[in-house]
Amino acid sequence: MFALKKTNQLNSFVRWYSTIKNTTLPPKGFKTGTYACGLKKSGNKDICVIYSEKECNVAAVFTENKVKAAPVLLSKSLIDQHHNSGFQSLIINSGGANACTGQEGDRNAATMSNLSASLLKAKQPSLVMSTGIIGQQLDMTKVEKGIQMATSQLKDNDWVSAAEAIMTTDHVHKLVQKTIELDGKQVNISGICKGAGMIHPNMATMLCTICTDANISAECLKPALKHSIQYSFNSISVDGDMSTNDTVCVFANGMAGNKMITDQKSQDFLLLQQALRETATELAQMIVKDAEGASKFISVVVLNAENEAAGKVVANSICTSSLVKTAIYGEDANWGRVLAAAGASGADIIPSKISMWFSHGDGKDIGIGKKNDPSICMQFLKDGQPTPKNEDRAAQLLANKDIGIIVDLNQGTANYSMWTSDLTVEYVKANSHYRT
Amino acid sequence: MFALKKTNQLNSFVRWYSTIKNTTLPPKGFKTGTYACGLKKSGNKDICVIYSEKECNVAAVFTENKVKAAPVLLSKSLIDQHHNSGFQSLIINSGGANACTGQEGDRNAATMSNLSASLLKAKQPSLVMSTGIIGQQLDMTKVEKGIQMATSQLKDNDWVSAAEAIMTTDHVHKLVQKTIELDGKQVNISGICKGAGMIHPNMATMLCTICTDANISAECLKPALKHSIQYSFNSISVDGDMSTNDTVCVFANGMAGNKMITDQKSQDFLLLQQALRETATELAQMIVKDAEGASKFISVVVLNAENEAAGKVVANSICTSSLVKTAIYGEDANWGRVLAAAGASGADIIPSKISMWFSHGDGKDIGIGKKNDPSICMQFLKDGQPTPKNEDRAAQLLANKDIGIIVDLNQGTANYSMWTSDLTVEYVKANSHYRT
């Protein structure tokens, strides 16, 4: 929320906040289909198709890893080729990442795209996402059967099944639905994602698809997604690694019937953008909370940075510090490690100005204002020096599942929040397939 | 070793390599004194003084953390003020970092500097290093007593005691001694350091002091140290965190009697620089091997990068990847995680050109040439795609304590090596003071 101040959106905040609601009503015109084709040893669903009756404007953000999976390269190329519009379908498989698979992998991704589009009678090839093991070819006999079955059993908006079919090491499916009113019309958003931790034998992937019936131009959808990701998926860290397959994609089919959003400064744009951002933020936080081996959800709130970039650099350094993450696991209010991580971030901080608090909260609204509330916050550092503290009270505070680390840099007016999990014995065991 | 190629030192390498030897003879003219003044609960030695009969030229590199301990700020200022020369003494305490201690901390560091110099009748204030708990004032009654006792019991070159007195969570003391011949004179080097892991209640520190009787100008000593650190202490990673107190300092008193080195292109300069680098590299590797909770020593060798900077970025990304480090702990030859870490490094690598091997070795000479030796190396990736492999053989290879990860980028001619430890259950327990 805090970064709103820097984007001059604060004035509008109160108005739109009250108009963004959770909903059980899905966006109009979308259908989903799932199937268990046998890519997963568990026999769970591994194919998911998402179809829109009407052609959609689309925006997507892909992994910045130089090693990109075949479906990432294909989807990126399709979106560029079709100028972010005209898409009706997305095909996703779990149980195989189709990464490091060479030309055969490229051909298989293309087959998934063309076969699903053809069966759905879509006007353009489908976008494609894959997640699972790196370096193995997909069993295309199974995948093709899966696509045939999933596309032949489409249901109206069965988002729970869709969210289940893309899971890999996730413990729970991840679905967020929001509704807003634009131009007198009800606009709905459904977002699904998968992420969790990294596990045998290679690495997992963060995939997210957000579908909305909002009417918005492709030119406006891109910056809205970029903004949403900046403060959600790009503001979480589980273990600092970036996969070969990470993809976030938004489809907008316009069936809500609102007047098309074409102005990035309009209230309607800002409200839709905020709704997408809140959808993405809740999904991203679900990934952190479900992270392999995590026992704590940690919100890092950097206040009064010189600028937003500096705030993010400091927050990121704290979120990726193994020492901070193990300390929180051990329920140790180790302000020294937090301060050292801030100092090592590269940001031009001034140690003698820094104050710090540990808190507990719900991961959303700790920070501004709350640092003066002794019922949930405890100060550990004032102007760069430790404050006297009650050890029993500190132990009580750190025993919570939701831990806040609030760092006031006292240098400017920019704030930045990030979320991470603790580094636990269970994380190491899960990621090393530790033999007991 | 590999970076020599880029600094045009390869031709000279063979000559000087044969002339750098380990030795038990210490540098001339140095004395050390130690004492247990009671800063450590264990009652172990916690005060170390190093004294040189003759005034020394000095070079030092300090933590880049914005949060710097009082002794770091003082030593940096003293060295600047006296233009890197004229120093005769160094006072070190373990059992307290004197960081985040405000003006009282500044005064205490100055007292340590002045008191020790005065007792030793040194012409300039002593340099100061501290390591231990952050945010607590030193008990100066104990420290002053310790300085009085240590300076009154000086011994010729008792480097083992000195190395012991600076230990915190280290399991073993760390001492390396090298000898070379310069200008027909025997020149000796003694280096001590401490590091290990990070442990309750705050963070540990990397301290290193190298003393030599080489005759070298202050202007030449600075680049020689910088070079040495680049390929040693700046090429290791235990958990990616940087402390408030990290310091590496070299004292050169000239008592070997060689003609003063004043030319950075001279053979003598290059030989001394290489000897300092080897001393620093062995000390740095000792820190990794002794890291809290480590069970494996991992050498990451990046071959044929576009340039050295790119090679280092890739090596660093692999060395700091929690997923790579947990995989090695689990003895899992997880090439996918290594490739993903390389891809996420930010370097402009070309995935389809990359080949990769796992190996075992002594952490020094794996890499160039050895990747074709099937007795210690096994290929997992060729031109970006996985190679067929024998799982039993892979398991055998990964069961070694010393693991090499060799990544050939096939883009240029620059090579870079870094060293790290695995991420283990014991690491997390040690750093969270896990309660069993």
Side-chain angles (χ1 to χ4, degrees):
Chain A
M1 297 304 145
F2 308 121
L4 287 169
K5 206 189 281 185
K6 299 299 292 177
T7 49
N8 297 316
Q9 294 173 7
L10 195 60
N11 294 339
S12 322
F13 177 73
V14 177
R15 190 188 73 76
W16 74 40
Y17 190 77
S18 61
T19 66
I20 301 173
K21 292 178 186 149
N22 289 330
T23 180
T24 54
L25 290 177
K28 289 182 190 144
F30 286 95
K31 291 179 193 294
T32 57
T34 58
Y35 191 72
C37 78
L39 293 178
K40 286 179 179 167
K41 281 183 191 158
S42 63
N44 290 341
K45 290 174 202 154
D46 44 26
I47 296 283
C48 169
V49 62
I50 296 173
Y51 172 74
S52 169
E53 291 172 23
K54 287 211 171 180
E55 296 169 27
C56 297
N57 288 330
V58 161
V61 173
F62 300 97
T63 181
E64 288 172 16
N65 200 307
K66 288 280 172 186
V67 183
K68 290 181 173 67
V72 167
L73 294 169
L74 176 66
S75 294
K76 198 169 185 321
S77 146
L78 285 171
I79 289 174
D80 289 348
Q81 187 184 332
H82 295 283
H83 308 290
N84 293 72
S85 59
F87 291 95
Q88 284 183 273
S89 52
L90 168 68
I91 174 75
I92 312 175
N93 77 278
S94 50
N98 197 5
C100 306
T101 44
Q103 292 180 345
E104 187 179 340
D106 294 338
R107 282 193 299 273
N108 291 341
T111 300
M112 289 175 67
S113 170
N114 294 326
L115 177 62
S116 55
S118 150
L119 291 167
L120 293 165
K121 300 188 173 53
K123 289 180 188 145
Q124 278 178 198
S126 300
L127 298 181
V128 185
M129 298 180 184
S130 297
T131 177
I133 298 169
I134 288 180
Q136 295 186 1
Q137 298 295 346
L138 293 173
D139 181 337
M140 287 305 288
T141 309
K142 290 179 179 172
V143 171
E144 290 179 25
K145 169 86 186 297
I147 292 173
Q148 279 155 4
M149 297 303 292
T151 53
S152 67
Q153 301 171 355
L154 291 185
K155 293 181 185 169
D156 284 343
N157 284 295
D158 183 2
W159 293 105
V160 171
S161 294
E164 284 170 355
I166 66 174
M167 287 166 65
T168 51
T169 61
D170 306 68
H171 299 96
V172 292
H173 72 269
K174 298 173 181 72
L175 167 63
V176 171
Q177 296 190 301
K178 298 276 179 190
T179 187
I180 52 174
E181 199 180 291
L182 288 181
D183 185 31
K185 312 288 184 188
Q186 184 175 328
V187 170
N188 292 334
I189 298 169
S190 282
I192 60 171
C193 78
K194 57 90 38 180
M198 313 302 179
I199 207 158
H200 175 82
N202 281 299
M203 70 188 305
T205 288
M206 197 284 296
L207 298 182
C208 173
T209 306
I210 299 174
C211 293
T212 177
D213 49 17
N215 192 15
I216 176 170
S217 72
E219 290 65 37
C220 282
L221 195 56
K222 280 195 269 188
L225 178 66
K226 197 176 159 193
H227 172 91
S228 301
I229 287 177
Q230 159 79 350
Y231 301 106
S232 58
F233 293 107
N234 282 346
S235 290
I236 60 170
S237 169
V238 174
D239 48 22
D241 283 80
M242 177 166 44
S243 108
T244 52
N245 292 54
D246 294 346
T247 304
V248 182
C249 189
V250 55
F251 286 75
N253 69 7
M255 289 177 70
N258 60 301
K259 191 178 159 225
M260 181 178 273
I261 296 171
T262 55
D263 176 4
Q264 293 179 40
K265 287 181 183 148
S266 66
Q267 282 293 320
D268 284 359
F269 173 84
L270 293 176
L271 178 53
L272 178 62
Q273 174 175 266
Q274 182 64 17
L276 291 171
R277 173 175 161 172
E278 289 186 19
T279 303
T281 301
E282 286 182 29
L283 288 168
Q285 290 180 348
M286 285 178 179
I287 288 178
V288 175
K289 287 174 181 169
D290 193 26
E292 195 67 50
S295 78
K296 306 268 188 187
F297 178 74
I298 307 171
S299 302
V300 175
V301 180
V302 176
L303 301 177
N304 300 313
E306 250 187 328
N307 51 54
E308 193 177 297
K312 182 166 187 179
V313 160
V314 171
N316 188 60
S317 182
I318 296 168
C319 277
T320 54
S321 162
S322 295
L323 291 176
V324 171
K325 288 155 69 92
T326 46
I328 299 295
Y329 172 55
E331 304 190 347
D332 174 18
N334 199 317
W335 58 268
R337 292 183 183 176
V338 177
L339 185 64
S345 67
D348 196 15
I349 62 168
I350 303 167
S352 61
K353 286 192 169 191
I354 297 177
S355 294
M356 191 188 305
W357 296 257
F358 283 92
S359 74
H360 67 90
D362 61 2
K364 285 184 183 175
D365 61 356
I366 57 163
I368 297 176
K370 296 293 175 75
K371 68 186 188 190
N372 297 320
D373 178 353
S375 72
I376 63 157
C377 267
M378 193 170 162
Q379 187 160 19
F380 284 79
L381 198 70
K382 186 174 160 56
D383 301 332
Q385 290 190 52
T387 50
K389 55 202 164 288
N390 176 327
E391 293 293 346
D392 289 346
R393 171 96 182 76
Q396 256 179 2
L397 191 71
L398 272 288
N400 284 287
K401 290 279 285 180
D402 281 334
I403 300 295
I405 301 173
I406 305 171
V407 178
D408 190 338
L409 298 177
N410 270 311
Q411 285 184 292
T413 58
N415 304 319
Y416 205 94
S417 295
M418 281 188 73
W419 301 277
T420 190
S421 52
D422 55 348
L423 176 53
T424 69
V425 166
E426 292 70 28
Y427 171 90
V428 176
K429 286 185 181 175
N431 284 293
S432 59
H433 39 117
Y434 186 78
R435 299 158 186 102
T436 45
Chain B
M1 298 303 146
F2 309 121
L4 287 170
K5 205 188 281 182
K6 297 300 292 177
T7 48
N8 296 316
Q9 295 174 4
L10 195 61
N11 293 339
S12 321
F13 177 73
V14 176
R15 190 189 71 78
W16 74 41
Y17 190 77
S18 61
T19 66
I20 300 175
K21 290 176 186 151
N22 289 331
T23 180
T24 54
L25 290 177
K28 289 182 190 143
F30 286 94
K31 292 180 193 294
T32 57
T34 57
Y35 192 71
C37 77
L39 293 177
K40 285 179 179 166
K41 281 184 191 159
S42 64
N44 289 340
K45 289 175 204 155
D46 44 26
I47 296 284
C48 169
V49 63
I50 297 173
Y51 172 75
S52 169
E53 291 171 24
K54 288 211 171 180
E55 295 169 27
C56 297
N57 288 328
V58 161
V61 173
F62 300 98
T63 180
E64 288 173 13
N65 200 306
K66 287 280 172 186
V67 183
K68 291 181 173 66
V72 167
L73 294 169
L74 176 67
S75 295
K76 197 168 186 320
S77 146
L78 285 170
I79 290 174
D80 289 347
Q81 186 185 333
H82 295 281
H83 306 291
N84 293 71
S85 60
F87 291 95
Q88 282 183 272
S89 52
L90 168 67
I91 174 74
I92 312 176
N93 77 277
S94 50
N98 197 4
C100 307
T101 43
Q103 291 180 346
E104 187 179 340
D106 293 339
R107 282 194 298 273
N108 291 342
T111 299
M112 289 175 66
S113 171
N114 293 326
L115 176 64
S116 56
S118 151
L119 291 167
L120 293 166
K121 300 187 173 52
K123 290 181 188 145
Q124 278 178 198
S126 299
L127 298 180
V128 185
M129 297 181 183
S130 297
T131 178
I133 298 171
I134 287 181
Q136 296 186 1
Q137 297 296 346
L138 293 174
D139 181 336
M140 288 304 288
T141 309
K142 291 178 179 172
V143 170
E144 289 179 26
K145 169 84 186 298
I147 292 174
Q148 279 155 3
M149 296 303 292
T151 53
S152 66
Q153 302 172 356
L154 291 184
K155 293 181 186 170
D156 285 344
N157 284 295
D158 183 3
W159 293 105
V160 171
S161 294
E164 284 170 354
I166 66 173
M167 287 166 64
T168 51
T169 60
D170 306 69
H171 300 96
V172 293
H173 72 268
K174 299 173 180 74
L175 166 64
V176 171
Q177 296 189 300
K178 299 276 179 190
T179 187
I180 53 174
E181 199 181 292
L182 288 181
D183 185 31
K185 313 287 184 188
Q186 184 176 329
V187 170
N188 293 334
I189 298 169
S190 282
I192 60 170
C193 77
K194 56 91 38 182
M198 313 301 179
I199 207 160
H200 174 81
N202 280 299
M203 67 187 307
T205 288
M206 197 284 295
L207 298 182
C208 173
T209 305
I210 299 174
C211 293
T212 177
D213 50 15
N215 192 15
I216 178 170
S217 73
E219 290 64 38
C220 282
L221 195 56
K222 279 195 271 188
L225 179 66
K226 197 176 161 194
H227 173 91
S228 301
I229 287 179
Q230 159 79 349
Y231 301 107
S232 58
F233 293 107
N234 282 346
S235 291
I236 59 171
S237 168
V238 173
D239 47 23
D241 283 78
M242 175 166 47
S243 108
T244 51
N245 293 54
D246 294 345
T247 304
V248 182
C249 187
V250 55
F251 286 75
N253 69 8
M255 289 178 70
N258 61 301
K259 192 178 158 222
M260 181 179 272
I261 297 171
T262 55
D263 177 3
Q264 294 180 39
K265 289 181 181 147
S266 67
Q267 282 293 320
D268 283 358
F269 173 84
L270 293 175
L271 179 51
L272 178 61
Q273 174 174 267
Q274 183 64 19
L276 290 172
R277 172 174 163 172
E278 289 186 19
T279 303
T281 301
E282 287 182 30
L283 288 169
Q285 291 180 349
M286 284 178 178
I287 288 179
V288 175
K289 287 174 181 167
D290 193 26
E292 196 66 49
S295 77
K296 305 269 189 188
F297 179 75
I298 308 170
S299 303
V300 175
V301 180
V302 176
L303 301 176
N304 300 311
E306 249 186 329
N307 52 53
E308 194 177 297
K312 181 166 188 178
V313 160
V314 171
N316 188 60
S317 182
I318 296 168
C319 277
T320 54
S321 162
S322 295
L323 291 175
V324 171
K325 288 155 71 92
T326 46
I328 300 295
Y329 171 56
E331 304 189 347
D332 174 17
N334 199 317
W335 58 268
R337 292 183 183 176
V338 176
L339 185 63
S345 67
D348 197 16
I349 62 168
I350 302 166
S352 62
K353 287 191 166 190
I354 297 177
S355 293
M356 190 187 307
W357 296 257
F358 284 92
S359 76
H360 67 89
D362 60 3
K364 286 183 185 176
D365 62 356
I366 58 164
I368 297 176
K370 296 293 174 77
K371 67 187 188 190
N372 297 320
D373 178 353
S375 72
I376 63 158
C377 268
M378 193 169 163
Q379 186 160 19
F380 284 78
L381 197 69
K382 188 175 160 57
D383 303 330
Q385 290 190 52
T387 50
K389 56 202 163 288
N390 178 327
E391 293 293 347
D392 289 345
R393 171 96 183 77
Q396 257 177 0
L397 190 71
L398 271 287
N400 284 285
K401 290 277 286 179
D402 282 333
I403 300 295
I405 301 174
I406 304 171
V407 178
D408 190 338
L409 298 177
N410 270 310
Q411 285 183 293
T413 58
N415 304 320
Y416 206 94
S417 295
M418 281 189 73
W419 302 277
T420 190
S421 52
D422 55 348
L423 176 53
T424 69
V425 166
E426 292 70 29
Y427 172 89
V428 176
K429 287 185 182 175
N431 284 292
S432 59
H433 38 119
Y434 187 77
R435 298 157 186 104
T436 45

